[in-house]
Amino acid sequence: MAGTVGQKFAIKDVVDVTLTPLGEAEGQAITINYLNSCQLTLESESVYATEKGNNSISFGGSRTGTFTMSAQVIKDEFLAMMLGGTYNQVDGSITVTGAIPTKSYKLSGTFNVALADGTQVLRKIELAKVTPQPSTDMTLSATDIAEFQLVMDVLVDNDQLLKITDNAGA
């Protein structure tokens, strides 16, 4: 990556996310710039040809991934995606039915890295296609601030899964 190639760096930042709707249901981008943390998990699976019962030749298998966003302060669009519902921008309502929305998004975001010399470098992350997991465990309490998590499934195609670049603002 230009600017930081070969340099040591550390990250103490969270990604400011923009979700851009894909496909026929294209619409207004959703900005999520209030996260406390986020976590990208990517997993891959290999299959093996065996020789005398031992793994001998490896073949790359499928990839799966999730991008989990955690916040205490959220907007209605975030809550609607968590619940597997739809948000009506006109009246501010969230409606959840038996039919789960299947809208996909391009996820892009920025975060800062600190180089060993103290220089801050802005990086950009892009996930080509994500879709919300409408599974929610939401606890509301009179004594504790509610924690909200939105998990996005990372959908894999052969073109691009993930890209991280320097100088997102340039």
Side-chain angles (χ1 to χ4, degrees), residues 101-153:
T102 57
K103 189 181 278 189
S104 294
Y105 301 88
K106 175 184 177 183
L107 185 150
S108 58
T110 58
F111 61 98
N112 285 296
V113 300
L115 303 181
D117 66 3
T119 305
Q120 296 283 317
V121 176
L122 187 65
R123 286 215 169 145
K124 182 175 184 178
I125 184 170
E126 293 179 344
L127 295 167
K129 190 174 184 181
V130 298
T131 187
Q133 270 186 20
S135 299
T136 304
D137 182 6
M138 186 169 66
T139 302
L140 304 178
S141 167
T143 58
D144 297 316
I145 297 171
E147 295 280 343
F148 300 98
Q149 280 197 336
L150 174 58
V151 179
M152 306 293 278
D153 286 321

Side-chain angles (χ1 to χ4, degrees), residues 25-124:
E26 287 186 21
Q28 188 173 357
I30 298 168
T31 300
I32 303 173
N33 58 0
Y34 43 82
L35 298 177
N36 291 330
S37 65
C38 58
Q39 178 179 354
L40 175 64
T41 303
L42 297 174
E43 297 178 0
S44 61
E45 188 176 294
S46 295
V47 292
Y48 301 92
T50 59
E51 181 179 349
K52 296 184 179 184
N54 296 313
N55 292 343
S56 179
I57 300 173
S58 173
F59 296 91
S62 63
R63 285 188 181 258
T64 59
T66 57
F67 188 84
T68 304
M69 299 176 274
S70 300
Q72 290 181 331
V73 176
I74 63 172
K75 291 183 179 178
D76 288 331
E77 295 96 341
F78 190 95
L79 182 59
M81 283 188 278
M82 278 179 50
L83 298 171
T86 56
Y87 172 64
N88 182 324
Q89 290 182 331
V90 176
D91 67 9
S93 65
I94 297 171
T95 303
V96 179
T97 66
I100 298 171
T102 57
K103 189 181 278 189
S104 294
Y105 301 88
K106 175 184 177 183
L107 185 150
S108 58
T110 58
F111 61 98
N112 285 296
V113 300
L115 303 181
D117 66 3
T119 305
Q120 296 283 317
V121 176
L122 187 65
R123 286 215 169 145
K124 182 175 184 178

